[in-house]
Amino acid sequence: MNAKVDITSLPFLRLEKEQTWFEAIPGERLTIRVHSSETGGKFSIMESIAGRGAATPTHTHVEDEVFHILEGEVIFSLHGEISVLAKGDAIYIPGGAPHAWRNNAGTPARMLAFFQPGGVEQMFTEIAGLELPGIIELASKYGTVLVGPPIEA
């Protein structure tokens, strides 16, 4: 008894041709691979492509986060400790830990970011085009606090 399952009806299925990409911060394009609404809030997954110079300010948030580098090279700061991650590398960032990243390499970096629990991914869809005061206010609604500047170039 082999029942066929229509995988296109599964709520977590994401086909590449259906992905929507957007720019949240200058130089970084994002797509939500798995939205927390599809996992009962348990987790979310985002993919980003960061051009040279793209960077986040140092920040904290309540979610645990794992970055997995798919292509390129990215500098990470976690609790002020600097690491350079390249293709295949991953970094775990516990909730509440101050962290930031920057792409200083000559090529774009492609990363997956896993958040647990999910929910913060919605912030990124709302942040595009905001100036710093608006970003700070919006981020605080999602439990994200900017605590310092980006990693220096």
Side-chain angles (χ1 to χ4, degrees):
M1 179 185 220
N2 289 338
K4 289 200 173 210
V5 175
D6 177 9
I7 63 170
T8 61
S9 68
L10 298 175
F12 55 83
L13 179 68
R14 285 288 177 270
L15 301 176
E16 183 61 33
K17 65 184 178 184
E18 297 172 350
Q19 288 300 128
T20 301
W21 289 84
F22 58 95
E23 186 174 271
I25 62 172
E28 181 190 27
R29 293 182 332 140
L30 295 170
T31 190
I32 300 171
R33 292 289 180 185
V34 178
H35 198 282
S36 61
S37 65
E38 300 165 309
T39 65
K42 293 178 183 156
F43 67 93
S44 60
I45 303 172
M46 295 183 4
E47 182 176 346
S48 68
I49 300 173
R52 177 173 174 72
T56 62
T58 303
H59 61 283
T60 65
H61 46 71
V62 297
E63 299 84 5
D64 288 346
E65 184 175 16
V66 173
F67 278 95
H68 178 76
I69 311 304
L70 301 172
E71 296 175 11
E73 183 178 281
V74 182
I75 300 168
F76 276 85
S77 172
L78 176 59
H79 289 295
E81 295 291 323
I82 301 294
S83 300
V84 177
L85 278 69
K87 180 179 178 177
D89 294 340
I91 187 169
Y92 167 66
I93 300 164
H99 63 285
W101 62 261
R102 172 181 289 279
N103 178 6
N104 275 346
T107 59
R110 200 169 128 236
M111 304 177 277
L112 286 177
F114 302 81
F115 295 95
Q116 191 281 318
V120 73
E121 74 277 6
Q122 189 61 38
M123 175 186 72
F124 294 95
T125 67
E126 298 175 31
I127 213 165
L130 293 179
E131 298 295 325
L132 188 57
I135 291 171
I136 291 170
E137 182 179 337
L138 178 65
S140 68
K141 283 180 23 184
Y142 288 93
T144 298
V145 179
L146 305 184
V147 297
I151 299 168
E152 291 188 26

